[in-house]
Amino acid sequence: MDIKTVGIVGAGQMGNGIAHVMSLAGYNVLLNDVSEETLKSAIDTIDRNLERQVSREKITADEKAAAMARIKTTGALPELGQSDLVIEAATERETVKQAIFEDLLPHLKSNTILTSNTSSISITRLASRTDRPEKFMGFHFMNPVPVMQLVELIRGIATDGETFDACKAVVDKLGKTAATAEDFPAFIVNRILMPMINEAVYTLYEGVGSVSSIDSSLKLGANHPMGPLELADFIGLDTCLAIMNVLHDGLADTKYRPCPLLTKYVEAGWLGRKTQRGFYDYRGDTPVPTR
């Protein structure tokens, strides 16, 4: 299948990044969100990030202008139905994702491929609630999308070869690398990454080290570019907790039990960078550890 038009549901951090790379690769993009303000902010963010690429001579001014011209926005979800490929990039809650696909189904072309950018939820289960499980896949980008080179492609139990090949061709056209993951909780990256972050929170919770000592230890002792608590703030503590709950529920192993301190931060609404407070306080000029 030759994919030319891409519909993206959700214009937040992941959605606007996906729109950015898709438009730059030559796809016509229709970006949807329930919030007009979020759509406007997404276009501003894409414009700013493309301009940064121009200033660094990664792309030309003409390529930026062409990419921006390929992106349209809409608050009406049914308008995405005529896309060749739909990528759902809404919040990491299964009920929300299911409702989006149910609302989309009556408006889809017969050959439209449905995908989800979920970082942990069962692709097979999401696909089973649609009329085309064979044309449904996991299409998991890493954050920030314009920078990160990996895309996890996850087949559900019913996904056919043609659908996988079409999605793999899109990843190739983006200039990114595809990793094929089986449809088990959290796939590859988050199956490994999130327990490490959760263990870092346990290390803080148990008083083994402070926020700064834990992050410094992993940066300087394991050569990580970002400490695990700093990374958790960047990802969003609510997202980290949601993925740990998927792992714990899906694999029924106590080693995936979310740290009570992670739960407490989420209950407080301290979700990391996006709320200005998490394991660090971002309200000043320099991030300050909160513990």
Side-chain angles (χ1 to χ4, degrees), residues 11-121:
Q13 193 173 35
M14 295 304 293
N16 74 58
I18 296 167
H20 173 142
V21 298
M22 288 288 180
S23 63
L24 198 54
Y27 294 102
N28 292 316
V29 173
L30 186 56
L31 182 60
N32 162 263
D33 200 279
V34 292
S35 164
E36 192 63 42
E37 185 180 337
T38 301
L39 285 171
K40 183 180 182 305
S41 175
I43 294 299
D44 291 344
T45 298
I46 294 166
D47 185 80
R48 191 165 59 248
N49 288 340
L50 284 168
E51 188 57 41
R52 187 179 294 120
Q53 288 180 291
V54 172
S55 69
R56 293 175 179 171
E57 299 183 349
K58 302 279 189 185
I59 61 172
T60 66
D62 286 347
E63 286 171 329
K64 176 200 168 182
M68 290 301 297
R70 292 187 196 104
I71 304 173
K72 302 287 185 288
T73 63
T74 179
L77 187 64
E79 290 185 18
L80 271 61
Q82 294 307 299
S83 305
D84 299 324
L85 169 68
V86 172
I87 303 173
E88 171 274 314
T91 188
E92 189 69 358
R93 289 209 304 273
E94 188 165 348
T95 52
V96 172
K97 295 178 185 297
Q98 286 175 346
I100 287 166
F101 290 124
E102 285 169 10
D103 288 348
L104 261 175
L105 288 180
H107 310 283
L108 293 175
K109 298 190 298 182
S110 62
N111 62 342
T112 297
I113 293 173
L114 289 178
T115 67
S116 176
N117 183 57
T118 179
S119 50
S120 61
I121 297 168

Side-chain angles (χ1 to χ4, degrees), residues 211 233 276-291:
V211 168
D233 276 357
Q276 295 293 295
R277 276 192 290 188
F279 292 113
Y280 293 86
D281 189 326
Y282 300 93
R283 293 175 295 176
D285 294 335
T286 307
V288 178
T290 54
R291 288 180 88 83

